[in-house]
Amino acid sequence: MQRARSRRRLVRACLALGLIAAGPGAGSAGTLTRAQVEAQLPALEALAQRAVDAGAVPGLAVAVVLGDETLLLKGYGLRQAGKPEPVGPDTVFQIASLSKPVTATIVAALVGDGVVDWDSRVADLDPAFQLREAYPTAQVTVRDFLNHRSGLPGTAGDDLEAIGFGRDAILHRLRLAPPASSFRAGYAYSNFGFTEGAVAAAKPTGRPWEAVARDRLFRPLGMTATGTTHAEFLSRSDRAALHVRVGGVWTAAVERNPDAQAPAGGVSGPVRDLARWLRLVIGNGRFEGAQRVAAAALAQTHVPLMARGRNPVTGGASFYGLGWNVEYGRHGLVWGHAGAFSAGAQTLVSIHPEAGLGILVLTNAFPSGVPEGLADSFADLVFDGRVGRDWVQAWGAAYENLFAPGIAADKAAYGTPPAPPAAPLALSAYVGRYANAYVGEAVVAEADGALTLTVGPAGARRYPLRHFDRDLFLSFPDAEAPDRPSAVRFAIGSDGRAAALTVDALDASGGLGTLARRD
């Protein structure tokens, strides 16, 4: 659980990196021609093939759009490592947080239709929803949630999703999370805050978010293979598996069902479909001669509302709008967003709005520097005529380095028990039922001389516990990194039994991982 939580937090940090600084430059915004772009497509294709051949990812797909034209749709490599089926332009990928700008477009469509406003209060749209404090609960808007400035901690709800809770239960429990900052005063990238903003925006339609997404964007644009549920993804025979490295080899080891946070991370689709959405965004809501989304409503998604500092790879000044990163860098203005599942997906959209140029890169592995690296390289090619540095390597190092310190720290802390370790109490002293309002019930049981911890709805997750020192035990819950430990700590009461336990993996949001004994 600790590993899964840490990886999710690091993925959010990766996404905070995730806009490539690119824009007008030597090609000059507004003067970029089709010939200039097409002249660089062979080099982009060679870079993509080289990434696959070098083992940077098992497979990827790329789309390039200029204005209302799609100039490239192509797949490279394999849908699943070790199997022969190739990636093509119709291969469906889970796009992770690239879902956010797609969702922002859907909400913009509702705003343009007059169904909702960016500044509609969630309290009016979804009265049952609450944050911890009364004032933010009463005032938080759709804009606040899609801009990640509600004060909600970025981790809130992710831990509950990891142990099997569904969307409704998670959104209900967000009222228990202590704020990470004052309302509208800080930026905290929150999957479930974003999800609530989208779900609330859809409430006036009387229809679920998934139906609104399908009917307001996917069907009108002819995005026939795009969906927002895991079942839809699994129904596609031409789909890309998720891959992580196991023993240095890309392995399709883990599935990821993101239904609970579908607006924030649950969209799946092929580059052929997503290129149609990209044309709509570049066209300011216009697609194939018709204004599908009101331009004024869509333009609000690209307003830089919250500063996020400098992009640590490209150096660009970075901001967040509504589901979009807005960055000013070596080639000027860019809109975009990265997506990543630590279970094995990494994606990117990058738009140079003044030039009308956009690129999509979808991959079936994590971590790598391929999506950002290809997009940065292509920007250099188009605007400068040459690639300025090895961007795939630079971005790959950035992603890898985000994981190394946390892994090393956990292994240093818990890799070797004290010599000698303090003996535990009789295991029966730890056995029992524990609970709090956020996590629900946890059960510690003894079997064959060892403890197990069961958490989640209907005992959805069960973790063996290994003794470390006195009342501290370790779990190893993440299939992606089975050797990374996570602490489970018992507090002993006056009766000699555990009175409470703290599960580190569930304790990222203000002490919500401490559960009191209930029997």
Side-chain angles (χ1 to χ4, degrees), residues 345-381:
Q346 204 167 338
T347 62
L348 184 83
V349 60
S350 180
I351 298 174
H352 311 275
E354 295 170 319
L357 178 67
I359 183 171
L360 285 156
V361 183
L362 311 181
T363 76
N364 59 355
F366 184 87
S368 83
V370 171
E372 288 87 348
L374 290 182
D376 258 339
S377 298
F378 187 55
D380 280 2
L381 287 166

